[in-house]
Amino acid sequence: MEAIRERFKQSKSSESVKLRKRSSILYSTERKRHTLQICGISISVFIVIFRLINCFLVQSSFVPDEYWQSLEIAHRMVFGYPCEMNTIILMKRTWEWKEGIRGYSFPLLYALMYKLLQLMNYDTVYLLVLVPQVFQAFLAAFADVKLYQLVLQWESPEVAKWTCLSQLCSWFTWFCCSRTLTNSTETALTTLALYYYPLPGSKTHNSWKYLSLVSLAVVVRPTALIVWFPLLLYHFCIEQEKLKLIAMEIIPIATVALGASSLIDSVFYGKWILVQWRFLKFNVLHSVSEFYGWHPWHWYLSQGLPVVIGPHLPLVLHGFLTSTRKHTLLLLTVVWTTGVYSLLAHKEFRFVYPVLPFCMVFSGMSLSKLQRWRKAAAGALLLFNLIPAFYTGLIHQRGALDVMQHLQTLCEETEAQVLFLMPCHSTPLYSHLHCPLKLRFLECPPDLTGSDGYLDEAELFYSNPLQWLETSFPSKSTLPSHLVLFNSLETEIFSFLEKHRFRKQAQVFHTHFPEGRVGTHILLYARVPDANKS
């Protein structure tokens, strides 16, 4: 009996015994709490600081849409047209808004910033340009943090660390993330939505949150549906309560998003309109986008993706080849998106930007598997991304912004009139001037009537620059006071410049790689007043 009592005592006392916790992360049941630190600060704070530095070190232009689909529209929404004579010209240059294929929801975001600056009496040119870029930098930083946290709980801390390094090293992300492009916002929203998406093995699933972010991305840029189609299809297939998913989540969220978007657009267009449908109708069904360029079907495979992925390409390919079954969905999304965009005639690097974070996950997986060559690969990754990042951000195509600073000095001259003899949308406009300067531009709206032999004003000008100038300005009284042009055009119109006493006032560098009608420098010419004029 005594022996039995002793056994019961031992069993009771053993209940109070506590097992020693393993300090290794491999044995941790809450790996998502593992926080990476850089230079003594948390990874989240480091990423925010990094993206703010990124923002200030990007001082070049990329494509016209970063101004003409965002800042210029926002400036018009808040401040109106600074000069009445430009109303017709600007409406023609913003034909996409006239035809109703662009939504006001995205520029409204910047318009609210502009209105706040106006109310605070801080609506200077510097802040009108900087504040939207800083906002984009914060949004990009938030997306970077969420990408790291996603991989941290989806994979191992090692993979998360190298994915974060890959994302921060990406030269194209550096070049694009702080720009006021719909593609930049679409990419950030896609990355944020991915954090809440039910990836195989993911623990952060929240259908309401990810579907709301996807809806916002579609409102900003309808082509976001291309990226999300296979992901949404997969979610529908694995969902046990399909009817509930559709009736209680997808339909309410999509209805609210499209309803709010349509309401905003209807207010500014002055009529009820569904921008998303018109965007699809003009760009896909009517192929209006081909007006802005055509590329062969293999362009994204031979140039687009290799350039966007950049020096990460060997690591990304290695990650593709060594990926497991749970990574198949991300890989298929990259392949699907590239394939669909390859079917469209008009192609641009920025169109595949939303799948770049997906590729960075595979790059991180590859680096985590390298043992002997890991440090060398990481060092090469940093070096070979650093060069294009700084070159494209600080040097390449900066003339389009620098020349606007020269034009700002003309704001006090009431008689100043500037004529841009450049390819369409080569520079921003009033968002970078913010003064009632009289301007004229070469118009280039696409032909929406289907007539044969259509030539826009820019095509007519470049077909015979001298004849166009003499016809457009038959007398001295009609001449502009200033001309802005690329140096590649200078010799062709030199006789006109000499005849009408135009003298070079400024020359700003633009690019080392001129192409087509774009030159290496942008020139500002000013007309010398007639000496006999009293």
Side-chain angles (χ1 to χ4, degrees):
M1 291 296 292
E2 290 297 328
I4 295 175
R5 289 194 186 100
E6 288 297 325
R7 285 182 183 179
F8 275 110
K9 288 180 180 180
Q10 289 177 6
S11 63
K12 289 181 180 180
S13 62
S14 64
E15 294 177 358
S16 61
V17 176
K18 294 183 179 180
L19 296 175
R20 178 175 61 89
K21 288 186 178 180
R22 297 274 189 173
S23 60
S24 173
I25 298 172
L26 294 174
Y27 295 92
S28 174
T29 58
E30 298 184 26
R31 288 157 66 180
K32 65 180 181 179
R33 293 185 179 179
H34 174 73
T35 56
L36 180 65
Q37 288 196 344
I38 301 178
C39 300
I41 59 177
S42 69
I43 185 63
S44 300
V45 175
F46 177 83
I47 289 175
V48 171
I49 296 173
F50 181 83
R51 286 303 176 205
L52 286 176
I53 296 173
N54 182 170
C55 173
F56 284 97
L57 290 182
V58 173
Q59 302 172 13
S60 60
S61 63
F62 182 23
V63 290
D65 287 359
E66 63 183 304
Y67 315 114
W68 288 96
Q69 290 182 12
S70 55
L71 300 186
E72 294 302 328
I73 306 302
H75 193 277
R76 190 185 72 187
M77 292 167 71
V78 177
F79 304 104
Y81 289 110
C83 184
E84 188 65 29
M85 69 170 289
N86 293 319
T87 301
I88 297 177
I89 296 174
L90 292 179
M91 284 301 295
K92 289 182 179 179
R93 282 182 63 84
T94 55
W95 68 271
E96 294 170 313
W97 305 87
K98 182 181 178 181
E99 296 296 331
I101 68 172
R102 298 293 179 186
Y104 277 92
S105 300
F106 182 64
L108 180 60
L109 175 67
Y110 302 120
L112 294 174
M113 300 178 197
Y114 283 0
K115 191 63 180 179
L116 182 61
L117 289 173
Q118 183 189 42
L119 294 174
M120 297 171 62
N121 202 26
Y122 282 112
D123 53 324
T124 63
V125 176
Y126 179 75
L127 290 180
L128 290 178
V129 174
L130 180 63
V131 170
Q133 293 175 348
V134 170
F135 169 80
Q136 289 294 146
F138 274 114
L139 183 62
F142 188 33
D144 290 341
V145 171
K146 285 299 182 182
L147 180 65
Y148 168 74
Q149 292 177 349
L150 169 65
V151 181
L152 183 62
Q153 58 81 34
W154 192 46
E155 283 285 346
S156 66
E158 192 75 5
V159 176
K161 178 178 68 176
W162 294 113
T163 299
C164 183
L165 174 68
S166 298
Q167 176 71 359
L168 297 183
C169 280
S170 171
W171 82 269
F172 196 80
T173 300
W174 174 280
F175 182 60
C176 278
C177 70
S178 62
R179 296 186 183 277
T180 51
L181 279 167
T182 54
N183 309 87
S184 301
T185 304
E186 175 195 359
T187 302
L189 291 174
T190 293
T191 307
L192 292 172
L194 191 66
Y195 178 80
Y196 299 105
Y197 178 79
L199 286 170
S202 174
K203 301 174 184 177
T204 56
H205 172 218
N206 187 311
S207 294
W208 273 92
K209 289 184 179 180
Y210 104 76
L211 288 171
S212 298
L213 290 166
V214 170
S215 298
L216 282 177
V218 173
V219 167
V220 169
R221 190 170 181 84
T223 51
L225 273 178
I226 295 176
V227 178
W228 278 98
F229 178 79
L231 296 168
L232 292 171
L233 182 61
Y234 172 81
H235 184 194
F236 178 77
C237 291
I238 66 169
E239 181 63 45
Q240 295 181 350
E241 298 179 343
K242 291 181 173 57
L243 184 61
K244 180 181 178 182
L245 175 66
I246 295 175
M248 303 299 293
E249 294 179 350
I250 293 179
I251 291 179
I253 292 173
T255 301
V256 170
L258 288 178
S261 172
S262 298
L263 182 60
I264 292 171
D265 293 331
S266 299
V267 168
F268 286 100
Y269 279 113
K271 59 181 180 180
W272 187 255
I273 188 170
L274 185 60
V275 167
Q276 287 74 21
W277 160 244
R278 296 184 67 86
F279 179 90
L280 177 67
K281 175 184 174 182
F282 276 87
N283 286 302
V284 179
L285 302 182
H286 292 175
S287 301
V288 174
S289 60
E290 294 183 25
F291 177 81
Y292 295 105
W294 177 91
H295 297 84
W297 68 268
H298 58 78
W299 187 84
Y300 281 118
L301 295 175
S302 59
Q303 298 182 52
L305 267 181
V307 170
V308 170
I309 297 175
H312 295 77
L313 186 59
L315 297 171
V316 172
L317 293 177
H318 178 248
F320 286 165
L321 295 174
T322 58
S323 60
T324 61
R325 186 175 180 180
K326 75 173 184 177
H327 307 113
T328 303
L329 183 59
L330 289 186
L331 178 57
L332 286 177
T333 302
V334 175
V335 173
W336 160 265
T337 303
T338 306
V340 172
Y341 275 120
S342 295
L343 298 176
L344 304 178
H346 180 58
K347 300 175 177 67
E348 295 186 39
F349 294 112
R350 61 193 175 102
F351 290 170
V352 292
Y353 179 31
V355 299
L356 184 57
F358 295 40
C359 296
M360 294 303 99
V361 175
F362 291 98
S363 175
M365 290 165 49
S366 174
L367 281 170
S368 68
K369 293 174 183 177
L370 296 177
Q371 297 296 327
R372 184 177 178 182
W373 302 102
R374 182 187 297 168
K375 290 185 178 180
L381 197 66
L382 178 61
L383 175 63
F384 292 132
N385 275 282
L386 199 64
I387 296 172
F390 280 125
Y391 178 77
T392 56
L394 295 173
I395 301 174
H396 181 60
Q397 293 187 172
R398 66 169 298 140
L401 301 182
D402 290 344
V403 75
M404 301 308 290
Q405 296 180 12
H406 288 278
L407 294 180
Q408 287 173 23
T409 62
L410 305 178
C411 286
E412 301 301 323
E413 300 182 20
T414 56
E415 299 300 320
Q417 296 184 27
V418 183
L419 171 62
F420 287 78
L421 298 176
M422 308 173 77
C424 290
H425 310 98
S426 293
T427 67
L429 193 64
Y430 285 115
S431 63
H432 287 60
L433 287 177
H434 196 48
C435 69
L437 194 61
K438 296 177 182 178
L439 310 167
R440 182 178 175 183
F441 309 88
L442 299 176
E443 302 169 18
C444 58
D447 179 30
L448 303 178
T449 62
S451 59
D452 296 331
Y454 169 78
L455 290 176
D456 58 51
E457 187 180 33
E459 288 290 341
L460 289 172
F461 168 75
Y462 279 103
S463 63
N464 195 331
L466 278 177
Q467 181 182 355
W468 186 91
L469 288 169
E470 295 294 350
T471 304
S472 300
F473 306 102
S475 63
K476 289 186 177 180
S477 60
T478 60
L479 286 170
S481 63
H482 294 78
L483 297 175
V484 180
L485 59 142
F486 282 111
N487 63 330
S488 56
L489 182 68
E490 187 178 23
T491 55
E492 289 191 61
I493 64 170
F494 184 76
S495 59
F496 177 85
L497 298 174
E498 284 294 308
K499 176 183 176 181
H500 296 287
R501 300 170 58 84
F502 280 97
R503 297 294 179 263
K504 190 182 300 183
Q505 192 176 61
Q507 176 174 299
V508 297
F509 172 80
H510 184 63
T511 179
H512 289 110
F513 305 98
E515 184 179 1
R517 297 166 180 172
V518 176
T520 58
H521 292 75
I522 297 178
L523 311 178
L524 174 61
Y525 271 87
R527 186 161 59 91
V528 178
D530 192 343
N532 297 325
K533 187 177 179 179
S534 57

